[in-house]
């Protein structure tokens, strides 16, 4: 079955930044909606939330998506600071990166790199890999004949999601969130895309 092609619901410039400003204004407001948990069955993940195929994905789209993620994560930032990173698939060209809340560490950047590496190497979300291998990093390493050092360059933990573009072969960008529980790192990306693309 061909993938569903998604387009941004609101294509106006600054929609993400307006969402951040609204989230900041509501800091003292009602409780925030929890981040939905993704499925944990690999086949269901593959069918529903492993990757997203968009009509287009430009630097402007990355900027909007990054800010929409920032707005969604901001209410959680007091307890769980996170890093958002969106990069093109060819090389280390970062299109958007931000820390949400105080307290992120260089370790978050290491997790971002490892999750991105897994997405680019396997063309699948890092959550799909987590589910496929049931979190067993030894089984993952053995499956691909990796040494421990090489396996350490990849993270089979949720939070790295491939972005594809209709008519373009392969992954064009990788969205990564690091700092929450791994199912939440994946779930927030899925939640934001599903709520802002159709």
């Amino acid at each position: 079955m061909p993938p569903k092609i998604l387009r941004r619901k609101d294509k106006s410039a600054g929609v993400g930044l307006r969402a951040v400003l609204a989230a900041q204004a509501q800091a003292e407001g009602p409780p925030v909606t929890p981040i939905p948990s993704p499925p944990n069955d690999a086949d269901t993940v593959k069918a529903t939330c492993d990757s997203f195929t968009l009509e287009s994905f430009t630097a402007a789209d990355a900027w909007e998506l990054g800010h929409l993620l920032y707005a969604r994560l901001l209410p959680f930032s007091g307890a769980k600071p996170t890093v958002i990173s969106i990069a093109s698939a060819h090389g280390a060209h970062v299109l958007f990166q931000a820390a949400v809340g105080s307290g992120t560490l260089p370790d978050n950047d290491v997790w971002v790199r490892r999750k991105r590496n897994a997405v680019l190497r396997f063309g699948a979300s890092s959550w799909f890999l987590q589910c496929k291998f049931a979190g067993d990093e030894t089984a993952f390493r053995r499956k691909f004949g990796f040494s421990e050092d090489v396996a350490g360059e990849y993270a089979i933990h949720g939070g790295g999601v491939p972005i594809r573009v209709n008519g373009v072969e392969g992954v064009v960008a990788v969205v990564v969130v690091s700092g929450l529980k791994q199912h939440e790192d994946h779930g927030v990306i899925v939640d934001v895309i599903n709520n802002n693309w159709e």
Side-chain angles (χ1 to χ4, degrees), residues 1 3 36-53 119 123-134 156-162 164 182-183 185-187 190 194:
M1 181 166 99
S37 290
N40 57 12
D41 169 73
D43 291 335
T44 306
V45 170
K46 191 57 127 174
T48 62
C49 62
D50 177 52
S51 68
F52 293 92
T53 302
V119 170
S125 71
S126 56
W127 180 247
F128 170 77
L129 294 170
Q130 161 69 25
C131 296
K132 180 177 178 178
F133 290 97
I156 59 167
H157 298 266
V161 175
R164 302 172 191 281
Q182 63 174 314
H183 68 278
D185 283 347
H186 184 82
V190 172
N194 283 339

Side-chain angles (χ1 to χ4, degrees), residues 57-82:
F57 195 74
T58 64
D61 293 316
W63 191 86
E64 297 295 353
L65 175 56
H67 281 88
L68 290 164
L69 283 163
Y70 190 101
R72 183 69 171 95
L73 289 164
L74 190 59
F76 304 96
S77 64
K80 282 296 210 172
T82 55

Side-chain angles (χ1 to χ4, degrees), residues 134-186:
D136 187 339
E137 293 186 15
T138 302
F140 168 75
R141 182 173 56 82
R142 287 182 179 154
K143 166 77 175 171
F144 297 103
F146 291 153
S147 67
E148 286 188 28
D149 287 343
V150 170
E153 292 300 310
Y154 304 98
I156 59 167
H157 298 266
V161 175
I163 299 294
R164 302 172 191 281
V165 170
N166 186 37
V168 177
E169 188 71 29
V171 174
V172 299
V174 180
V175 181
V176 179
V177 170
S178 172
L180 303 172
K181 293 179 180 174
Q182 63 174 314
H183 68 278
E184 293 172 324
D185 283 347
H186 184 82

Side-chain angles (χ1 to χ4, degrees), residues 57-60 62-63 85-89 92-97 172-174:
F57 195 74
T58 64
W63 191 86
S85 183
I86 304 172
S88 66
H93 183 55
V94 176
L95 302 169
F96 181 94
Q97 185 150 324
V172 299
V174 180

